[in-house]
Amino acid sequence: MSEKFPFIDVIVVNYNGKDVLNNFLISLSKINYPKKLYEIIIIEGNHLTKQRNEGLKASKGEIVYLLDDDAQIQQRSLRILAKEFLDPKVAAVGGPSISPQKYESYLGGLI
């Protein structure tokens, strides 16, 4: 990847998740990306779409990374994300979704 890194907004929707949000923030502290080139926007609320839209309105980044409060960012996540967008044909990028360990499945967390 070239030395020109895009600005990335990481939007996190949090709903009564202070325990899991703390784990997210710990994982974030290990990010390998220029600190001046990303910001974290935490939106509180229980309407996922509405809160994500609020985050999008507040964002100023070239790239927006949408996460939930129980996510944990890997050290190179932002670099990998930014690299994918070097291809002008790329408009969106998705990654693996892994259920929190306390649930056997994603659906189990919803019930």
Side-chain angles (χ1 to χ4, degrees):
M1 187 167 151
S2 72
E3 289 302 310
K4 183 187 179 318
F5 294 98
F7 191 90
I8 299 176
D9 279 309
V10 180
I11 298 174
V12 182
V13 175
N14 183 56
Y15 178 63
N16 293 332
K18 66 180 180 180
D19 296 331
V20 293
L21 185 61
N22 187 54
N23 290 335
F24 168 78
L25 295 173
I26 289 169
S27 74
L28 187 63
S29 71
K30 299 172 185 169
I31 279 292
N32 180 5
Y33 199 78
K35 299 217 183 291
K36 292 181 181 180
L37 293 178
Y38 71 91
E39 70 177 347
I40 310 305
I41 300 171
I42 299 174
I43 303 293
E44 182 69 35
N46 65 346
H47 295 94
L48 186 62
T49 302
K50 181 181 175 185
Q51 269 58 55
R52 284 185 172 169
N53 285 337
E54 285 182 32
L56 289 170
K57 288 177 188 174
S59 70
K60 60 185 177 199
E62 296 171 65
I63 296 173
V64 175
Y65 191 15
L66 298 171
L67 295 169
D68 295 329
D69 56 6
D70 61 356
Q72 290 193 15
I73 294 183
Q74 300 302 311
Q75 185 178 19
R76 295 187 41 80
S77 293
L78 297 184
R79 285 182 182 266
I80 292 168
L81 181 68
K83 182 180 177 186
E84 293 299 322
F85 282 100
L86 290 175
D87 181 345
K89 294 178 185 174
V90 172
V93 175
S97 180
I98 301 170
S99 298
Q101 291 181 348
K102 65 181 178 179
Y103 305 124
E104 291 181 29
S105 69
Y106 176 72
L107 183 58
L110 297 176
I111 298 174

